[in-house]
Amino acid sequence: MWQLLRELMTFLRQEKKWWLVPLVIVLVLLALLVLFSANPALAPFMYPFI
């Protein structure tokens, strides 16, 4: 996992693609939301954010 993150940062630095950083952050947050919503025990804590 850390190798993938390091490789992504190296790519962004070399290719000057800094506009991709917000997109990656949004995608990671969306993935975390999907993962946490699969657990019914965490559902009551997510209602204020939806």
Side-chain angles (χ1 to χ4, degrees):
M1 177 66 184
W2 294 112
Q3 181 66 28
L4 178 67
L5 187 62
R6 186 178 306 130
E7 188 173 330
L8 176 66
M9 291 305 294
T10 304
F11 169 76
L12 293 175
R13 196 175 306 125
Q14 287 176 354
E15 299 295 324
K16 307 287 193 265
K17 304 258 185 217
W18 292 110
W19 57 272
L20 285 173
V21 172
L23 180 67
V24 170
I25 290 172
V26 168
L27 287 175
V28 167
L29 290 176
L30 185 62
L32 289 174
L33 179 67
V34 168
L35 286 174
F36 286 136
S37 67
N39 189 351
L42 296 176
F45 300 108
M46 291 178 51
Y47 288 133
F49 300 110
I50 296 178

